[in-house]
Amino acid sequence: MELTGAQIFVESLKKLKVDTLFGYPGGAVLHIYDALHFAEKDGSIRHILVRHEQGAVHMADGYARATGKPGYVLLTSGPGATNGVTGIATAYMDSIPMVIITGQVPTHLIGNDAFQEADVVGITRPCTKHNFLVKDVRDLARVMAEAQYIATSGRPGPVLVDIPKDVTAHKTAFAWPDRVDIPSYRPSTEGHLKQVKKALSLILGAKRPVLYLGGGCIWSNAAAEVTGLARRLGIPVTQTLMGLGSFPMSDPLSLDMLGMHGTYRANLAMSNCDVLVAIGARFDDRVTGKLDEFCVGAKKIHVDIDPASISKNVEVDVPIVGDARKVVQKMLDNLPPEPDLAKYRRSLAPWHAQIAEWERQHPLFYQDWTPGSPGEVIKPQWAIQEIHRKTKARSPVVTTDVGQHQMWAAQYFQFDRPFRWVTSGGLGTMGFGLPAAIGAQFARPKDLVLAIVGDASVQMCIQELIVASEHKLPIKVFIINNIYLGMVRQWQEMFYDDRYTAVHIPLQPDWVKLADAMGAAGFRVEQKSKLPGVIDEALSTTKPCLVDIRVDPKESVFPMIPAGGSIANPIVADEALKVHVKDDPNSASLS
């Protein structure tokens, strides 16, 4: 029996076990939407109609980051596809598995500047792992199988499939491939045993080792293995922004996040280590700072599934190409007996003592009061700690936008499990948090999903709140509202002599009324004493919620390493301020 290209597309989704498709229809994909009509009726595929294509891609992204499964998006040609490009680039920078299907004008019109035509394959080539233009309906099933395989294998990433409208109308027999075999694409996953033993030899000879974990540990499901390795060796662990959750931040070995807004102890440990073990991390500029001064005295081991990432930014001594989970398992299998490991752990005591001293000198802290205020000012760090305190027992999925609130969430919301932290790290996309939370809630309907966002960034995709209401998703959106583009204000304050330009946004929507207009529950809180009650009320509401938290507008994120600065010299909060904190009974600190 022959099927149309549109029907083949739908049957392919079923073969790939795709249960949720985020999208927005248009002329070039009408045949596909007609075929989806029957798939939705029989309950095999759920289509989520978004309000803007960027929101669709971010939702699919959030779905993927909360589950480890690929997200799927369907967009029409021309502006439908180009509206999704920011979302695609966001996923590409963070190595998120996703398949984006775009409609295209009929094959005979390609290159004619036809209505709603755009060269989507050309536009997305720099921001996709791979892309396809399907010109023959007989190739469609194979391409769909290959798209998912490429998106989810090796280093994950978004793959785009562009389908001209006439291809979706043509007919052929549906032939699903038994297996995917792409001769030019065969990721190396095992890791060479000789290199693994060489790495272990370096580690066991080290006096000041550090484990540096990145997002690759999340995507290879290596959390249990890297945690086991760290604990058996007794090595301190730091995580990148994208790696949070791959090692429990509550563990005594955790140094928390490193890099531009990482902890003082994490960055000093990196600068002074003698063996650095990077697993699933890519040595990006926000971690390394000034390259000439990055871990200059350390031997470097790098485990990564992408050979192009190894020695790309930092030359390493022991490269190991392979899947993080498999390589670390090999390390565990080749460790010496426990008595020798115990002796090794004892030998690291001076190193742990030094790290503890750095923590004592400059802990992660903030002044939880404002001079001259009546004590009711809400500090953003405290608000996030309070949200964490009230929700940690439910191990929520937390999404963010980009800016100060993102860094405070990374610092103060302690993540102990993978696939709970959803943020745009590489591209730094404002507007990501709300739609990503919606995607995560579709993926995890029984889990608590929180979006911690900024008052400026949330406005970029606020239209998607109505999607949450339409589907009765109980997401909780906490706006850390400082009426500024906070991170830009902080940089203008620190590096441009307080010349604030285009960062103050005092006129804002009435967030309570806006929430109500979109079918959600709205709250506003300006006094510290009332925040705990408002959080409780929002958490007990079954509707999606928008909570407007008015925080200290001039708070800054510390520690901080300026762009291009050395990680050996973080800017920390004023020492005098620290004295006040110690003296003030209402102060808070977090180690």
Side-chain angles (χ1 to χ4, degrees), residues 22 67 87 147 162 187 249 278 292 326 335 364 425-426 438 466 514 556:
F22 301 93
T67 61
D162 198 28
M249 294 175 75
D292 293 346
K326 292 182 177 180
L335 286 176
L364 187 63
I438 293 171
I466 205 165
L514 180 62
S556 293

Side-chain angles (χ1 to χ4, degrees), residues 385-396 413-414 416-417 420 448 450 539:
Q385 281 185 300
E386 195 65 8
I387 296 166
H388 175 243
R389 185 178 69 82
K390 288 182 172 292
T391 61
K392 61 183 178 184
R394 297 172 65 180
S395 191
F413 208 107
Q414 298 269 289
D416 282 349
R417 296 170 60 185
R420 291 295 190 273
L448 176 63
L450 313 175
L539 292 174

Side-chain angles (χ1 to χ4, degrees), residues 30-111:
L30 277 180
H31 297 321
I32 291 177
Y33 270 87
D34 188 51
L36 279 173
H37 174 78
F38 299 100
E40 281 209 290
K41 286 192 75 171
D42 68 24
S44 55
I45 298 173
R46 171 178 56 178
H47 178 272
I48 307 302
L49 177 62
V50 302
R51 298 302 185 266
H52 189 281
E53 291 87 350
Q54 181 178 346
V57 186
H58 289 330
M59 287 182 201
D61 189 320
Y63 180 98
R65 297 191 203 222
T67 61
K69 299 192 296 185
Y72 271 77
V73 187
L74 175 59
L75 307 174
T76 193
S77 65
T82 57
N83 279 344
V85 170
T86 295
I88 297 170
T90 301
Y92 179 72
M93 290 291 283
D94 290 341
S95 305
I96 306 304
M98 188 185 299
V99 178
I100 307 98
I101 302 96
T102 51
Q104 184 54 275
V105 300
T107 50
H108 69 279
L109 289 178
I110 291 177

Side-chain angles (χ1 to χ4, degrees), residues 48 98 111 253 329 358 376 395 413 517 553 582-583:
I48 307 302
M98 188 185 299
L253 290 172
Q329 185 57 56
W358 286 325
E376 282 286 38
S395 191
F413 208 107
K582 287 172 62 180
D583 293 339

Side-chain angles (χ1 to χ4, degrees), residues 294-507:
F294 177 74
C295 300
V296 289
K299 294 287 186 183
K300 302 175 186 69
I301 299 162
H302 191 184
V303 179
D304 204 286
I305 199 162
D306 180 9
S309 290
I310 292 180
S311 292
K312 178 180 179 180
N313 297 325
V314 173
E315 194 71 29
V316 301
D317 300 281
V318 182
I320 305 177
V321 178
D323 174 80
R325 184 175 60 81
K326 292 182 177 180
V327 172
V328 175
Q329 185 57 56
K330 281 188 178 178
M331 289 182 173
L332 289 167
D333 293 341
N334 286 275
L335 286 176
E338 177 55 29
D340 293 338
L341 288 178
K343 183 179 178 183
Y344 176 71
R345 289 193 294 269
R346 287 194 296 273
S347 75
L348 299 182
W351 179 226
H352 287 293
Q354 176 60 71
I355 292 172
E357 174 59 19
W358 286 325
E359 172 67 2
R360 189 195 65 77
Q361 291 172 0
H362 296 293
L364 187 63
F365 80 99
Y366 60 91
Q367 178 179 278
D368 194 23
W369 56 281
T370 300
S373 79
E376 282 286 38
V377 171
I378 302 173
K379 290 290 183 175
Q381 303 96 322
W382 182 81
I384 289 169
Q385 281 185 300
E386 195 65 8
I387 296 166
H388 175 243
R389 185 178 69 82
K390 288 182 172 292
T391 61
K392 61 183 178 184
R394 297 172 65 180
S395 191
V397 175
V398 179
T399 74
T400 74
D401 281 327
V402 170
Q404 287 183 314
H405 69 276
Q406 177 193 32
M407 293 299 113
W408 286 318
Q411 292 175 335
Y412 292 95
F413 208 107
Q414 298 269 289
F415 295 94
D416 282 349
R417 296 170 60 185
F419 301 111
R420 291 295 190 273
W421 171 240
V422 177
T423 196
S424 171
L427 196 65
T429 304
M430 294 174 69
F432 174 81
L434 171 57
I438 293 171
Q441 189 73 82
F442 274 118
R444 292 182 174 274
K446 295 181 180 178
D447 287 354
L448 176 63
V449 176
L450 313 175
I452 297 175
V453 299
D455 52 293
S457 53
V458 73
Q459 296 187 52
M460 293 190 173
C461 284
I462 190 64
Q463 74 282 350
E464 305 303 340
L465 182 62
I466 205 165
V467 176
S469 298
E470 179 182 341
H471 292 275
K472 298 181 171 54
L473 304 179
I475 61 169
K476 312 303 175 193
V477 183
F478 293 98
I479 303 174
I480 307 300
N481 191 341
N482 58 9
I483 62 168
Y484 274 99
L485 299 174
M487 191 61 86
V488 183
R489 177 203 56 76
Q490 180 174 337
W491 280 55
Q492 291 181 345
E493 185 175 295
M494 295 178 67
F495 307 118
Y496 296 89
D497 297 329
D498 294 342
R499 293 190 297 276
Y500 300 135
T501 306
V503 292
H504 191 208
I505 44 176
L507 182 58

Side-chain angles (χ1 to χ4, degrees), residues 214-286:
C217 295
I218 303 282
W219 289 104
S220 67
N221 285 303
E225 286 76 10
V226 294
T227 300
L229 183 70
R231 287 174 176 168
R232 291 193 68 187
L233 290 167
I235 296 180
V237 179
T238 184
Q239 302 171 74
T240 68
L241 180 67
M242 302 312 302
L244 296 180
S246 56
F247 184 80
M249 294 175 75
S250 58
D251 192 287
L253 290 172
S254 175
L255 309 181
D256 296 341
M257 187 173 71
L258 79 164
M260 181 173 279
H261 292 294
T263 62
Y264 184 80
R265 62 178 174 178
N267 285 316
L268 267 288
M270 289 284 284
S271 288
N272 290 277
C273 68
D274 59 357
V275 171
L276 176 63
V277 188
I279 304 176
R282 61 186 178 90
F283 294 89
D284 75 277
D285 61 301
R286 281 201 157 197

